[in-house]
Amino acid sequence: MWTKLGHLTGQKKPFKLEDIWRIRTRLEIEKNIKELALLNLAIDSKLRSCDLLRLKIRDISSGGIIQSRVLYRQSKTDREVQFEITSRTAQSLATWIVHNNLAPSDFVFPSDRNQSKAMSYSCYLKIIRRWASQLGYDPYLYGTHSMRRTKATLIYAKTKNIRAVQLLLGHVKLDNTVRYLGVEIDDALNISENIDS
């Protein structure tokens, strides 16, 4: 489906592993600790943007220590999901928190205009589209859901364990996960390519 401006709408593409490393490397070189922490946490958490942006410091840390596993209640489904925070993500978050002197009650990613509010969806989307543009991609093929889909897609590609991805995304129905990842068509094409007729 296309918008009036000629942009494709619908499911957004996940980033590939090499894309994530290219973005991460650029952010490290630029010393952009905010976006580095945002990238890392978005990938690890696999949360929808509404949940990622409303995370507070107390949700991911205890006693000044970033937790390696977090249990979080999703706003859309009111279901709890668990996600891991890798050591790389924990390090970038700790740097970000200390640099901005964030308290447990603060948002992890506060608004630039008003520290008592979270970063806006439009700001988050603009950052992701800039990352896509810097990679040479059409920015309108990527969005906030690209971040949610990225690690889930990588996990599925490596393990083919759809149930694990379902649990990590907090989907109630397996059908939702299958559609979300688009695995049926990908798997069918891969099988077809590997069969000589």
Side-chain angles (χ1 to χ4, degrees), residues 101-129:
N101 198 25
L102 298 173
S105 60
D106 290 333
F107 288 105
V108 177
F109 302 106
S111 164
D112 289 336
R113 294 187 182 120
N114 184 346
Q115 289 288 103
S116 65
K117 292 187 176 180
M119 175 191 291
S120 69
Y121 172 85
S122 60
C123 181
Y124 181 40
L125 177 60
K126 193 181 295 182
I127 290 168
I128 293 166
R129 287 190 172 158

Side-chain angles (χ1 to χ4, degrees), residues 4 11 27 39 55 66 82 86 111 115 119 132 136-137 139 146:
K4 288 180 185 175
Q11 197 171 58
L27 295 174
L39 171 75
L55 279 172
I66 305 292
Q82 204 171 49
T86 61
S111 164
Q115 289 288 103
M119 175 191 291
Y137 297 145
S146 297

Side-chain angles (χ1 to χ4, degrees), residues 66-83:
I66 305 292
Q67 299 169 20
S68 60
R69 290 215 175 151
V70 174
L71 189 63
Y72 192 74
R73 185 168 300 278
Q74 300 175 102
S75 57
K76 181 178 177 180
T77 61
D78 199 37
R79 290 173 54 95
E80 286 187 330
V81 288
Q82 204 171 49
F83 62 86

Side-chain angles (χ1 to χ4, degrees), residues 156-157 160 183-195:
Y156 179 76
K160 301 297 183 202
V183 295
E184 287 176 320
I185 189 66
D186 287 346
D187 286 348
L189 290 170
N190 287 335
I191 291 166
S192 179
E193 287 169 356
N194 292 319
I195 303 244

Side-chain angles (χ1 to χ4, degrees), residues 25 30 37 44 63 66 69 88 90 101 113 116 130-131 140 147 157 161-162 165 169 187 191 195:
T25 301
E30 293 171 354
D44 277 2
I66 305 292
R69 290 215 175 151
R88 175 184 297 107
N101 198 25
R113 294 187 182 120
S116 65
R130 182 169 34 78
W131 292 341
Y140 292 97
M147 305 311 292
N161 188 336
I162 195 80
V165 176
L169 292 174
D187 286 348
I191 291 166
I195 303 244

Side-chain angles (χ1 to χ4, degrees), residues 4-130:
K4 288 180 185 175
L5 298 173
H7 300 302
L8 192 63
T9 62
Q11 197 171 58
K12 299 303 182 188
K13 295 179 74 163
F15 286 104
K16 295 177 279 209
L17 187 58
E18 56 267 26
D19 297 335
I20 295 302
W21 279 104
R22 286 174 61 199
I23 296 166
R24 191 177 278 140
T25 301
R26 177 179 280 126
L27 295 174
E28 287 172 348
I29 290 168
E30 293 171 354
K31 299 194 181 331
N32 189 334
I33 59 175
K34 175 184 179 178
E35 288 188 20
L36 182 61
L38 179 64
L39 171 75
N40 289 338
L41 187 58
I43 296 294
D44 277 2
S45 71
K46 300 163 289 298
L47 290 173
R48 291 175 185 88
S49 57
C50 59
D51 291 321
L52 176 70
L53 297 177
R54 72 183 182 105
L55 279 172
K56 295 202 170 186
I57 301 299
R58 64 176 167 243
D59 295 321
I60 60 164
S61 72
S62 178
I65 306 289
I66 305 292
Q67 299 169 20
S68 60
R69 290 215 175 151
V70 174
L71 189 63
Y72 192 74
R73 185 168 300 278
Q74 300 175 102
S75 57
K76 181 178 177 180
T77 61
D78 199 37
R79 290 173 54 95
E80 286 187 330
V81 288
Q82 204 171 49
F83 62 86
E84 78 288 355
I85 295 180
T86 61
S87 58
R88 175 184 297 107
T89 300
Q91 183 178 1
S92 63
L93 284 168
T95 303
W96 168 246
I97 291 166
V98 168
H99 182 268
N100 286 283
N101 198 25
L102 298 173
S105 60
D106 290 333
F107 288 105
V108 177
F109 302 106
S111 164
D112 289 336
R113 294 187 182 120
N114 184 346
Q115 289 288 103
S116 65
K117 292 187 176 180
M119 175 191 291
S120 69
Y121 172 85
S122 60
C123 181
Y124 181 40
L125 177 60
K126 193 181 295 182
I127 290 168
I128 293 166
R129 287 190 172 158
R130 182 169 34 78

